Amino acid sequence: MKLPGSARAVVIGGGVAGCSVAYHLARLGWSEVILVERHELTEGTTWHSAGFVGQLRSTVTQTKMIMYSAGLYPELAELTGLDPGWHGVGGLRLATTPERVEESLRLAGAGETYGLGLEMISGAEAKEMLPLLRADDVRAALWLPGDGWLDPALLARALAAGARKLGVRIYTGTRVTGIDVKNGTVAGVRLASGAEGSGDAEEWSVQAETVVVAAGAASGRVGRMAGVDIPVVPIKHQYVVTEPFGVPSSMPTVRDPDNIVYFREENAGILVGGYIRNPEIWDTAAPLEEPRALFPPDMPKFQESWESAVRRVPDLANAEITKVVHGPEAFTPDGEFLLGETPVRGLWAAAGFCVHGLAAAGGVGKVMAEWIVDGSPEYDMFGMDLRRFGSHARSASWTRAKALDSYSKYYDIVYPGEERTAARPLRRSPAWVRHVELGAAFGEKSGWERVNWYEPGGRPAGASETPPVDAPVTRDPEPGVREVFPDVREAHEVAPAGHGVSPDVRDVPPDGRSPRPHGWAGRIWSPAVREECLATRDAAGLFDQTSFSKLEVSGPGALEGLQRACAGQIDRPLGSIVYTQLLNGRGGIEADLTVTRLADDRFRLVTGTAFGVHDAAWLRGRGLDVRDVTSAHACYCLWGPRALDILGSVSGDDLTFGYMKAREISVGNVPVLAQRVTFVGEFGWELYCPSEYGLTLWDTLMEAGAPYGMRPAGYRAIDSMRLEKGYRVWGMDITPETTPYEAGLGFAAARDKDFVGRAALESARRPAGDRSAGARPVRRLFCLVLDDPRQVCLGGEPVRVGGLPASRVTSGGYGHRVDRSIAYAYLPEGTAPGDRVEVGVTGTWVGAAVTAEPLYDPSSERVRRLPFSEFR
C-alpha cells in the first residue's frame, strides 16, 4: 500500500461521520483528501448503531442538520448507485403523561417554525397506524412522516462511494501513530499498517494542514496525540433484536420517552433499545483498538427497557430475543456533538454523537466541510462547538460525571431553566460564601455557580412557599387532557386546563406580587425575581457577574487587529467603552461584546460567561494576541437610581464620568475599574477588581447599600430587565445566522472603516435589485407583547402572521417593571408597531401586539442621566 506524502486534508475515522466529512469536502471542490481507518469501514462505533433518524430535536441547528441528512440519504442511491439502507417509514413519539403532552405541544410548535411536516394525533390514531401498539395510556403522539431508519453500514459505504467518486482516497487497515504539530498548527499525521507491535508494519508520514478527528469513541485518544482534549466518554449502550414474527417492514419507528424505550422493525421482528438510569463507562485506555468491539449481554440492566417494550407491544412477550448488541457509544458532557476546530490550528473534531449521530451524519459532513473550506458554516453551531467548554473539560472526572448524567436523563423532559447538579459546584466567585448565606438559588453556566435569585428573607433555597424547581405543576391532569383530547388535531386551538386567557389574571395582584405564569414558565419561578427587579428600579440592585468572560488584547498590532475584527469603531480615546459585534464573512454575528480601551495598545473585551473560549479562538484566528483573564477579576454590577449615592459613600473619586466610559477608582480600600455600562437599563457601573479583593469589595458594597434600600439580585432579574430594554442575547436573539441590521443593531456597525463581513453586511441589508441608500433588511427582530400576561414565552414558540407560520420566538419572559409578557421574533419586512400576531405557547394560540421598543424608559434617560446625589 502506497500513501501520498502530502494531502490537503486527512480525515481520521471510517464511520459515517468521517465518510460524510470526506464526501462533503470533496463536494465543495477540495482535492487531495484522504481518509484513514484502523479497521474496515464502519467497524468502530457506526456498525452497531440502531439507525434511527428522528428529525425533530430540541435545537434549531440539530433539527436542520437532521432534516438535511434525511434529504441527502435517499439521494445517495442515485448519486452512487448504492442503497444507503434508508427506510422512510415515518416516526411516532408517544406521550403518556400530562407533562409529556405539554412537551409534545411545544415540539409540535417548534416543528412548525422549522417547516417540518408533523401532526399531533391521539393514542387511538397511533394504534390505527400501528395495530401492534397497546395505546390505552397514550394521551397523544407526534407523527413525523419524514422520519425513518437507516442501515448504518450501507449508509457509510454509500458515503464512502460518493467520496471516492469525487476523488477521495480511502485507506483501511491504517492506524494513526502520531499527529505532528508545529507552532500550534497541525503539520501532518504519522500512520502505520498492520497490528501494533508487529514486526512487518509499514510506516508513513503524510503532511497536511487540515486534519479531522472523526474516530468515534476513540476520538479522545487520537486528540491527545496532538495534545488536545476532546471530551468524549465511551458509555455502554444496549439493544436487542427479536426473532421474526410477522412485523411489517412499513412499521414506523417508535419512541416512548416516558418509558425510556424505543423500537422499530428489523427483519420482520422488532429491535428494542433503551436508556438505563445507571449507565456504565467503558473504562479502557485504548477504545476501539479491536474491530466490532462489543460487551457481553447484560440483561438485568436491560430489564426495565424490555418490560416497557412488552407493555407497549404485548406480542413481544412471546417473541424470542435472537440478538443482543451491547456496544460503546461516544457521549459528551452535555449530550451534544463535538464539532469544530481544536486549539491546534487546522486540527478539527467531529465526534461525540451520543447515540443519535447516524441521523445527523449528513448534516455533520455539510457543516464541517463549510467550516473548514469557507471559515464558517451555514448554521449557528455554538451549541455543538468544541469551544463551548472551558479548561475544566480536561478533567476526566468532571467529563465522566457530566456524561453519565447526560446519558441517564437522555429521555427526560428538559425544562428551560432547569438546573442539573452533576459535578457541581466547580467555579465560584469570591462572594459565593455570601450568596449561600443569603439563601441564593444557584444556576450553573460553563462551570460557574451563578445566582438565579435570592430567596426572600435569606431563607435557604427551596424553603420558600413556592414549590422546589423539580416539583410538577399543580394541576388536575384529567380535565386538561379531556379538553385537548380525544380530538388531538385541535390541540393547537384548544388550551389545556389552566392555560386559557382569564380576565382575572390580566392585572398584577393588589399586593404587587406577580402571578405565577402558566405552564412551563411557572415551573421554575420565584416571586423574588419581581422584588429584585423593582428594587433595582426604585433603589439599586447588586449583581455578581464575576463569571463574565474577560479577554485582553495588547501589543503593537492590537488596535489595527481589533479595528479589522470588530464591526464597531474601536479607535476611541482612552477609557472609552465600545459595544460591538464580531462578524463572519456572511455578515452574521459571531460574537457580541464590549471593548474597553485601557491604554494605547491594550484593550479589555467582555463577553458572555460561556463564550470566552469561542470568542478568543475567533480573534486568535485573525492574528490577535489574546489572553483570557476571566479568573483574574471579580465583577459586581451596581445599578439603580441610588447607585451614585451608594458608591459615593465609599469612594472619594469623581464618579460623574459619562456613559460608556471607564475609570480607575477606589471603593473603600479596593482598587476598581468602574465601567459606566448597563444590561438592565438603569444607571450604574460594572465594577472590576482583582479577584483577591473580591470578597472585600462585595462586603463593602453590601454595607454601603443597606441604608439606601439596595438589594442583591440574580440573573433572572437581569434577564427580565434586559427584555424590557430590548438588549439582545447572543445565541438566542442574535446568532451567526443573523446580521446586525436584521437584529436592529446597525447602529453598532461603523461606516468609516473596513471590517470582516462589511461587504456581506451591506449587501444583506438591501433586497435583491434594490440599490437605494436606505434599503432595509428583508426581516427584522421585533418586540411582541402578549395579550395574556400569564402566558410567558421561553424561546422557540411558533409565531403566525395572518394565520400563517412566519417565525419563532428567539427569547421571551416577563417584564416586571412594565408588567408585560414580552417576546422577540424575526418578522417580515413591512411589519410595524401595532400589527397583530399570534404566538403558540404550549399549544395555546395567544394574541400579541408588535410593539415599539424599548418598552421601558424609551429615551434611556435613566441610563444616561446622572441621578441626583448628595455626593455630586
Side-chain angles (χ1 to χ4, degrees):
M1 179 168 55
K2 178 69 173 175
L3 268 75
S6 64
R8 191 168 189 182
V10 175
V11 179
I12 301 170
V16 288
C19 291
S20 183
V21 171
Y23 169 75
H24 283 88
L25 282 173
R27 197 172 180 177
L28 289 184
W30 271 33
S31 57
E32 299 181 37
V33 175
I34 70 171
L35 181 149
V36 296
E37 164 57 44
R38 182 186 185 100
H39 308 298
E40 295 301 316
L41 294 180
T42 81
E43 289 190 343
T45 311
T46 293
W47 72 277
H48 60 72
S49 169
F52 280 65
V53 177
Q55 297 178 79
L56 185 58
R57 296 288 170 174
S58 59
T59 68
V60 179
T61 297
Q62 200 172 99
T63 301
K64 287 180 178 178
M65 290 169 64
I66 296 177
M67 289 175 67
Y68 170 84
S69 299
L72 170 69
Y73 298 156
E75 294 174 9
L76 279 173
E78 183 178 344
L79 292 172
T80 66
L82 295 177
D83 176 14
W86 170 245
H87 300 259
V89 293
L92 288 168
R93 194 175 193 275
L94 309 182
T96 63
T97 65
E99 292 78 16
R100 191 69 69 175
V101 171
E102 285 187 318
E103 181 197 46
S104 299
L105 289 167
R106 282 183 59 84
L107 287 171
E112 177 175 304
T113 72
Y114 307 147
L116 183 63
L118 55 79
E119 187 178 0
M120 193 86 165
I121 64 174
S122 67
E125 289 172 306
K127 184 171 179 60
E128 286 181 16
M129 285 187 174
L130 185 56
L132 287 169
L133 282 183
R134 176 190 161 219
D136 57 312
D137 63 334
V138 176
R139 296 169 179 262
L142 283 174
W143 164 242
L144 295 101
D147 284 5
W149 61 277
L150 286 155
D151 181 303
L154 292 179
L155 171 62
R157 288 171 188 146
L159 285 165
R164 284 191 177 103
K165 193 172 183 179
L166 295 174
V168 175
R169 285 176 283 183
I170 297 176
Y171 300 91
T172 57
T174 304
R175 54 191 169 86
V176 178
T177 60
I179 298 176
D180 296 323
V181 178
K182 294 181 180 178
N183 299 320
T185 300
V186 72
V189 296
R190 282 169 275 139
L191 305 168
S193 66
E196 194 167 356
S198 64
D200 58 349
E202 294 183 76
E203 298 184 356
W204 306 271
S205 289
V206 178
Q207 296 179 354
E209 295 181 355
T210 299
V211 176
V212 182
V213 179
S219 293
R221 180 171 63 88
V222 175
R224 286 191 290 274
M225 294 179 182
V228 164
D229 295 290
I230 301 175
V232 166
V233 179
I235 293 181
K236 298 178 180 181
H237 183 75
Q238 196 166 198
Y239 68 80
V240 302
V241 180
T242 72
E243 64 182 346
F245 61 100
V247 179
S249 60
S250 59
M251 169 187 167
T253 64
V254 180
R255 292 173 177 81
D256 186 357
D258 288 321
N259 295 290
I260 58 173
V261 68
Y262 59 84
F263 49 92
R264 65 166 175 83
E265 180 270 341
E266 179 156 313
N267 297 325
I270 292 184
L271 178 154
V272 177
Y275 296 89
I276 60 177
R277 295 298 186 185
N278 55 340
E280 184 181 347
I281 290 172
W282 184 21
D283 203 354
T284 176
L288 306 185
E289 187 171 6
E290 299 298 325
R292 294 181 170 259
L294 287 178
F295 314 114
D298 190 345
M299 297 312 292
K301 276 198 172 183
F302 196 69
Q303 182 176 356
E304 182 182 358
S305 296
W306 177 252
E307 289 177 351
S308 293
V310 171
R311 286 195 303 272
R312 186 62 59 216
V313 181
D315 287 355
L316 284 172
N318 301 315
E320 181 182 348
I321 294 173
T322 59
K323 181 168 68 172
V324 178
V325 178
H326 192 194
E329 292 286 352
F331 258 75
T332 67
D334 59 2
E336 285 287 0
F337 300 167
L338 294 173
L339 307 178
E341 194 170 22
T342 73
V344 172
R345 289 186 297 275
L347 181 66
W348 298 75
F353 294 120
C354 307
V355 180
H356 57 276
L358 196 81
V364 166
K366 166 188 160 63
V367 298
M368 287 294 296
E370 292 169 347
W371 217 335
I372 293 167
V373 174
D374 300 327
S376 60
E378 178 184 356
Y379 308 145
D380 170 20
M381 296 305 301
F382 179 75
M384 303 179 195
D385 194 327
L386 179 69
R387 297 170 294 187
R388 67 188 182 271
F389 297 118
S391 58
H392 52 277
R394 296 172 187 162
S395 164
S397 60
W398 181 88
T399 300
R400 288 179 171 209
K402 288 294 218 181
L404 287 169
D405 181 67
S406 177
Y407 179 99
S408 68
K409 298 175 181 175
Y410 188 77
Y411 264 170
D412 286 4
I413 297 172
V414 179
Y415 293 102
E418 181 180 357
E419 302 290 349
R420 293 186 174 179
T421 59
R424 292 176 60 187
L426 181 61
R427 307 172 78 181
R428 289 177 270 188
S429 157
W432 180 81
V433 291
R434 298 294 188 257
H435 304 326
V436 173
E437 292 168 1
L438 290 167
F442 286 99
E444 181 269 340
K445 193 165 190 177
S446 195
W448 281 99
E449 293 295 317
R450 311 193 313 172
V451 177
N452 283 335
W453 62 76
Y454 296 90
E455 294 295 347
R459 290 192 298 272
S464 73
E465 62 191 54
T466 57
V469 295
D470 59 349
V473 177
T474 302
R475 149 181 349 115
D476 177 5
E478 289 307 317
V481 174
R482 293 287 183 266
E483 286 194 32
V484 179
F485 305 108
D487 191 0
V488 195
R489 297 178 190 279
E490 297 181 3
H492 285 198
E493 284 71 43
V494 181
H499 284 212
V501 177
S502 302
D504 61 336
V505 300
R506 290 183 180 276
D507 298 320
V508 177
D511 62 2
R513 291 162 57 108
S514 59
R516 179 188 289 271
H518 290 311
W520 281 19
R523 292 185 65 90
I524 304 168
W525 173 89
S526 171
V529 175
R530 179 179 181 82
E531 296 171 18
E532 292 171 7
C533 291
L534 298 187
T536 305
R537 179 195 68 185
D538 298 334
L542 183 62
F543 303 82
D544 186 345
Q545 296 204 267
T546 297
S547 66
F548 273 161
S549 291
K550 311 162 196 85
L551 311 173
E552 287 204 358
V553 177
S554 59
L559 175 60
E560 181 182 358
L562 284 173
Q563 281 285 74
R564 174 65 179 159
C566 299
Q569 177 56 258
I570 307 302
D571 191 6
R572 297 185 183 276
L574 301 188
S576 296
I577 304 170
V578 178
Y579 169 61
T580 187
Q581 289 79 41
L582 310 179
L583 308 183
N584 57 38
R586 299 188 309 276
I589 300 172
E590 288 287 341
D592 183 70
L593 39 76
T594 59
V595 180
T596 302
R597 191 168 193 176
L598 303 177
D600 287 338
D601 61 352
R602 186 164 70 93
F603 301 81
R604 182 177 295 170
L605 285 61
V606 178
T607 185
T609 297
F611 309 145
V613 176
H614 169 275
D615 295 359
W618 196 95
L619 291 163
R620 291 184 186 117
R622 274 98 192 135
L624 286 159
D625 181 14
V626 183
R627 287 193 309 125
D628 190 327
V629 296
T630 299
S631 299
H633 305 279
C635 174
Y636 308 128
C637 299
L638 177 61
W639 291 318
R642 304 307 300 271
L644 186 55
D645 286 321
I646 295 166
L647 199 60
S649 71
V650 288
S651 177
D653 292 296
D654 180 8
L655 303 176
T656 61
F657 55 89
Y659 181 58
M660 300 300 283
K661 300 293 182 183
R663 295 289 186 273
E664 296 281 358
I665 66 172
S666 293
V667 178
N669 299 324
V670 178
V672 167
L673 174 68
Q675 298 199 163
R676 176 92 182 277
V677 67
T678 180
F679 199 56
V680 301
E682 302 288 355
F683 173 89
W685 304 269
E686 294 173 357
L687 304 171
Y688 296 86
C689 71
S691 289
E692 66 268 26
Y693 296 98
L695 184 56
T696 301
L697 179 59
W698 178 267
D699 288 344
T700 300
L701 292 169
M702 284 293 290
E703 183 178 355
Y708 297 95
M710 185 193 79
R711 179 174 179 141
Y715 272 83
R716 295 296 172 81
I718 291 175
D719 194 52
S720 170
M721 291 185 280
R722 73 93 188 166
L723 283 166
E724 296 170 309
K725 285 297 293 181
Y727 296 149
R728 285 34 172 164
V729 171
W730 190 81
M732 298 170 66
D733 307 304
I734 51 179
T735 74
E737 298 181 43
T738 59
T739 71
Y741 290 135
E742 292 172 322
L745 299 176
F747 67 87
R751 301 294 182 87
D752 57 350
K753 66 161 194 168
D754 192 20
F755 52 84
V756 174
R758 177 171 179 172
L761 180 60
E762 291 299 319
S763 175
R765 72 189 291 258
R766 302 173 185 271
D770 187 344
R771 295 290 177 258
S772 62
R776 296 173 56 199
V778 295
R779 63 172 183 167
R780 183 181 155 201
L781 188 63
F782 282 93
C783 177
L784 311 178
V785 173
L786 278 65
D787 294 346
D788 181 358
R790 291 188 70 178
Q791 296 284 8
V792 176
C793 294
L794 299 169
E797 292 85 356
V799 179
R800 290 179 177 175
V801 178
L804 299 176
S807 187
R808 63 191 299 273
V809 170
T810 59
S811 67
Y814 192 82
H816 295 280
R817 292 176 299 186
V818 299
D819 282 320
R820 297 289 184 273
S821 177
I822 305 166
Y824 280 83
Y826 284 90
L827 297 173
E829 183 175 15
T831 304
D835 288 353
R836 300 286 300 172
V837 301
E838 290 179 299
V839 183
V841 187
T842 317
T844 301
W845 286 102
V846 183
V850 178
T851 309
E853 57 173 325
L855 293 172
Y856 180 73
D857 186 26
S859 64
S860 290
E861 288 187 9
R862 296 177 69 92
V863 172
R864 298 176 180 277
R865 187 178 63 190
L866 283 172
F868 173 80
S869 169
E870 58 189 281
F871 296 100
R872 284 181 62 184

